[in-house]
Amino acid sequence: MSPSFTPARTRGLLRATAAALALSSVLLTTGCGSSGESGGDAKATAAVPAGFPVTIDNCGVKTTYDRPPSRVVTIHQHPAELMLALGLKDRMAGTAFADSAVLPELEKDYKAIPELAKREPSFETVLDAEPDFVYGGYGSAFDEKEGRSRKAFADAGIDTYLNREYCGKKKVTMKDTYDEIRTIGTVFGVPDRADKLVTDLQSRVGKATAAVGGESEVSVFVYDSGDKSAFTAGGKSLGTELIHLAGGENVFADLDDVFGDVSWEQVVERKPEVIAIYDYAGAGSVEEKKKYLLSQPALADVPAVRNKRFVVLPLTATLVGIRSAYAVEDLARGLHPESFR
């Protein structure tokens, strides 16, 4: 039996819906004040920290921060990991919806944060945590139909931020990851930490890329999910750049989208040498996905299937967050193992 794969379609739809919004950017200001989308009225008596006030334009929502947020709820795993990597555990009042195992070096701190819900928490549950800032990873964090719109939070006096991957930029790159880290560093008054983290991640990517620099590119098919058709990463996905940096080529780089459906006949025609399996909760286990791919007679002559060459990536490692730099190294080792012996 093939697993159920509906979350992937939901993710793709959310990306498409977000495309109407503008790309995030950071605007520094010298004056005070707050937009209609920002709730900062109760923050005003203490001395203004260095670098503040600061205004951030995030997905078309401008918010002026008089000081860094002090009680944060993250919805989805990759914002939580980014916060922890910046040393902001003491600001975190709650998190929700882990897609996969947390990075080992962050696991202890992650487990110390109250888990508000297994998936997206209700608006009321978030309010109960008394945050002054909510940081969402997917567009579904601020689902209007579920009562969690950014306006609803603003009306409650709570600032919000949405991962820039959902701000409507048509192609997602590693630059988005680095810009995201620096923007969050600015919001929380830790720009030096953000710069150091970016430098460390760039170094990690550089080492992996250098290790496979002289190798021929390996053709890769990304298997997110699907049975009647394959849901895969297209040319505008961050996954395509990660594969390229790791010494590979996405066989569906010509798919003009972040994610999309392709036929199994197309997979057979493109003869991928390696299959990168995306692993995340609610889309079937990695073993189920492998079993499905290996059981299909039509795929038997696909080199990756015939040779059982699979690389597993947590979904969180393919998103705008700190894990994408780790994904380059993991992919490089899977595509060119001889370069790491």
Side-chain angles (χ1 to χ4, degrees):
M1 180 184 297
S2 62
S4 170
F5 300 118
T6 54
R9 269 61 178 185
T10 303
R11 194 168 71 249
L13 178 59
L14 289 167
R15 290 175 186 272
T17 302
L21 298 172
L23 174 66
S24 303
S25 62
V26 178
L27 300 174
L28 296 179
T29 67
T30 57
C32 295
S34 160
S35 74
E37 291 288 350
S38 171
D41 293 342
K43 303 175 182 177
T45 55
V48 176
F52 288 82
V54 63
T55 296
I56 304 296
D57 185 340
N58 169 242
C59 299
V61 176
K62 287 186 178 180
T63 305
T64 296
Y65 299 90
D66 296 321
R67 55 187 41 79
S70 60
R71 285 187 60 82
V72 181
V73 166
T74 56
I75 302 177
H76 304 116
Q77 182 177 339
H78 46 305
E81 289 187 327
L82 196 161
M83 292 278 295
L84 292 175
L86 287 173
L88 296 170
K89 173 190 170 185
D90 62 332
R91 314 279 186 94
M92 298 181 69
T95 190
F97 205 156
D99 278 311
S100 54
V102 177
L103 274 175
E105 58 264 41
L106 301 177
E107 186 176 7
K108 181 179 178 181
D109 285 346
Y110 188 92
K111 287 182 176 179
I113 303 165
E115 183 182 57
L116 304 185
K118 294 297 182 184
R119 296 183 69 85
E120 290 93 350
S122 69
F123 181 70
E124 292 75 16
T125 297
V126 176
L127 290 188
D128 287 344
E130 300 182 341
D132 57 2
F133 185 90
V134 178
Y135 183 7
Y138 302 133
S140 57
F142 302 117
D143 188 340
E144 186 173 355
K145 292 180 180 178
E146 295 294 327
R148 291 190 306 271
S149 70
R150 297 185 72 174
K151 183 178 186 304
F153 282 114
D155 289 345
I158 301 169
D159 295 326
T160 57
Y161 185 94
L162 177 61
N163 185 291
R164 70 184 55 230
E165 189 164 355
Y166 286 84
C167 287
K169 186 178 180 181
K170 292 187 177 180
K171 185 171 183 176
V172 187
T173 69
M174 283 299 292
K175 183 178 183 299
D176 291 304
T177 287
Y178 304 140
D179 287 349
E180 181 85 354
I181 292 168
R182 288 192 170 107
T183 300
I184 295 300
T186 297
V187 171
F188 286 89
V190 291
D192 291 345
R193 293 185 204 173
D195 287 341
K196 183 180 184 304
L197 179 57
V198 167
T199 298
D200 291 346
L201 296 179
Q202 288 173 328
S203 175
R204 180 181 290 271
V205 171
K207 288 177 182 177
T209 301
V212 300
E215 303 291 343
S216 300
E217 286 189 333
V218 174
S219 58
V220 180
F221 161 57
V222 172
Y223 182 48
D224 180 296
S225 56
D227 43 21
K228 292 182 174 57
S229 61
F231 193 62
T232 191
K236 292 179 178 177
S237 70
L238 180 57
T240 292
E241 182 174 6
L242 300 181
I243 291 168
H244 174 70
L245 289 168
E249 179 184 16
N250 181 2
V251 295
F252 289 104
D254 60 340
L255 179 63
D256 191 31
D257 208 338
V258 177
F259 281 91
D261 286 295
V262 297
S263 70
W264 290 111
E265 289 77 13
Q266 288 174 291
V267 176
V268 172
E269 288 170 3
R270 300 193 182 197
K271 300 181 175 64
E273 299 167 84
V274 173
I275 296 176
I277 296 176
Y278 283 4
D279 179 26
Y280 59 100
S285 70
V286 169
E287 290 309 311
E288 286 178 303
K289 290 181 180 181
K290 286 182 180 179
K291 183 177 179 181
Y292 178 75
L293 293 168
L294 292 169
S295 69
Q296 302 306 301
L299 301 178
D301 289 330
V302 171
V305 174
R306 184 174 65 244
N307 299 319
K308 297 182 180 179
R309 287 197 67 187
F310 302 105
V311 178
V312 178
L313 291 177
L315 178 65
T316 47
T318 71
L319 304 171
V320 170
I322 64 166
R323 297 285 283 271
S324 51
Y326 290 73
V328 175
E329 181 179 352
D330 291 342
L331 274 168
R333 289 180 179 275
L335 302 185
H336 299 285
E338 66 283 353
S339 296
F340 293 88
R341 288 176 183 151

